Amino acid sequence: MENNKVKVVLGVIGADCHAVGNKILNYAFTSAGFEVVNLGVLVPQEEFVNAAIETDAKAILVASLYGHGEIDCRGLRERCRESGLGDILLYVGGNLVVGKTDFAEVHSKFIEMGYDRVYEPGILPDQVVIDLKNDLGL
């Protein structure tokens, strides 16, 4: 039987080992009918890209909760382009920077880095699912 579910790659980037949110997102996307390739925590950029290529994923969903997302996420869009994934959807969310920074500023930084969607802490997974379905035309 052929699996027609849309594949997405999910993981917590860099040296971040926060696993609870990752499990919640995995559940939300699986329940919404997506096939989730969950890379877990402590995931380097190369692993996101390689998993997306190997599985023909339509989106890469990156979480970062320890505040260093700005450092860990920089260059991921370029790495995707270099690997032939220039049009893959890139989402990022969590506590992306150290300290208290206005989210509008954080959002702008990540959009400039090539992310399609940027989520602040506390966003409900249902909203991310809705956005992904809309962005994929589902």
Side-chain angles (χ1 to χ4, degrees):
M1 183 174 185
E2 188 175 323
N3 181 355
N4 292 325
K5 291 183 179 181
V6 173
K7 295 178 185 78
V8 297
V9 173
L10 170 67
V12 182
I13 199 165
D16 194 336
C17 61
H18 289 90
V20 174
N22 177 275
K23 292 182 186 308
I24 292 168
L25 289 170
N26 186 76
Y27 177 80
F29 282 101
T30 301
S31 296
F34 290 93
E35 182 176 332
V36 179
V37 179
N38 191 343
L39 303 176
V41 299
L42 303 168
V43 182
Q45 287 187 8
E46 305 84 40
E47 199 169 325
F48 282 101
V49 173
N50 290 341
I53 291 168
E54 291 170 11
T55 63
D56 192 29
K58 302 303 178 206
I60 296 175
L61 314 173
V62 179
S64 181
L65 291 147
Y66 75 142
H68 297 285
E70 184 177 358
I71 296 164
D72 294 336
C73 294
R74 189 173 311 279
L76 182 55
R77 173 59 74 191
E78 290 76 17
R79 199 177 290 266
C80 288
R81 284 188 187 114
E82 291 167 1
S83 300
L85 298 173
D87 60 346
I88 194 166
L89 287 172
L90 274 183
Y91 285 19
V92 65
N95 295 316
L96 301 173
V97 296
V98 175
K100 297 201 184 289
T101 305
D102 181 56
F103 183 71
E105 184 180 328
V106 174
H107 184 270
S108 293
K109 282 181 187 180
F110 281 84
I111 293 295
E112 287 173 17
M113 283 192 258
Y115 287 83
D116 297 291
R117 298 269 186 176
V118 184
Y119 297 99
E120 61 189 316
I123 190 78
L124 294 177
D126 292 347
Q127 183 60 56
V128 184
V129 169
I130 289 167
D131 290 343
L132 184 58
K133 285 183 174 183
N134 287 336
D135 289 348
L136 291 171
L138 302 177

